[in-house]
Amino acid sequence: MELPIKLDFIFKVNLTFNLNAGVKYQLIGDQESLFAFGVGAEAGTFAIISQLWNIQIPLYASLHPTEKFGVYFSPRYIYQFNAFAGIKGWNYLGGNFGILFGNKHKFGLDISYYKVNTSGLMSSNLLSFGFGGRFSL
């Protein structure tokens, strides 16, 4: 009997060279299930050489009605800080929602919304839209 792999290693880079690395552990579901749920942890930097770093605690939920189509929701908490300045950091609370199309390699659309708070000094909202790809190796 072959046990399913439930631990994924994550590496992300975007067009502004933000880098993130982390892990995700799948608690519910597998590669073939209709619904999947997992937890994770990530760390990253803004624009590779920046002094801005972040630590993220995401949850991952996805629904896969067919092999070629999926819907996902990923609420998360992010703490962003300046690694060398010693100033108070920024707290982000929100998440991403999106759809993925494709077989082995997937392409999708993503919407994110976050409430940002800087230790009670300032509060704002961030809304963004994006598209991208996920490639299985």
Side-chain angles (χ1 to χ4, degrees):
M1 181 172 126
E2 188 175 323
L3 295 175
I5 297 173
K6 296 197 173 251
L7 184 67
D8 292 331
F9 294 96
I10 300 165
F11 179 75
K12 297 183 220 175
V13 62
N14 69 13
L15 292 176
T16 57
F17 297 105
N18 296 341
L19 292 177
N20 267 47
V23 294
K24 175 180 86 168
Y25 186 77
Q26 194 163 336
L27 297 169
I28 299 171
D30 59 26
Q31 299 285 345
E32 308 294 322
S33 62
L34 175 67
F35 175 75
F37 179 78
V39 297
E42 295 181 29
T45 185
F46 180 74
I48 297 177
I49 58 172
S50 171
Q51 296 176 5
L52 290 178
W53 289 82
N54 66 69
I55 298 169
Q56 304 184 26
I57 313 249
L59 300 175
Y60 300 96
S62 60
L63 183 65
H64 309 272
T66 71
E67 188 175 310
K68 295 181 180 182
F69 176 75
V71 178
Y72 65 87
F73 177 62
S74 181
R76 68 182 58 219
Y77 168 75
I78 303 170
Y79 180 70
Q80 187 173 37
F81 58 97
N82 185 316
F84 301 105
I87 62 172
K88 294 182 180 180
W90 300 269
N91 296 289
Y92 295 72
L93 188 58
N96 294 60
F97 172 82
I99 56 174
L100 290 171
F101 300 96
N103 228 357
K104 180 179 177 183
H105 306 300
K106 310 242 183 228
F107 298 91
L109 302 170
D110 183 87
I111 298 170
S112 70
Y113 175 79
Y114 289 90
K115 180 84 170 173
V116 183
N117 187 305
T118 56
S119 303
L121 300 176
M122 178 184 100
S123 184
S124 63
N125 299 314
L126 291 176
L127 177 66
S128 66
F129 302 89
F131 63 94
R134 184 175 77 187
F135 304 97
S136 298
L137 304 175

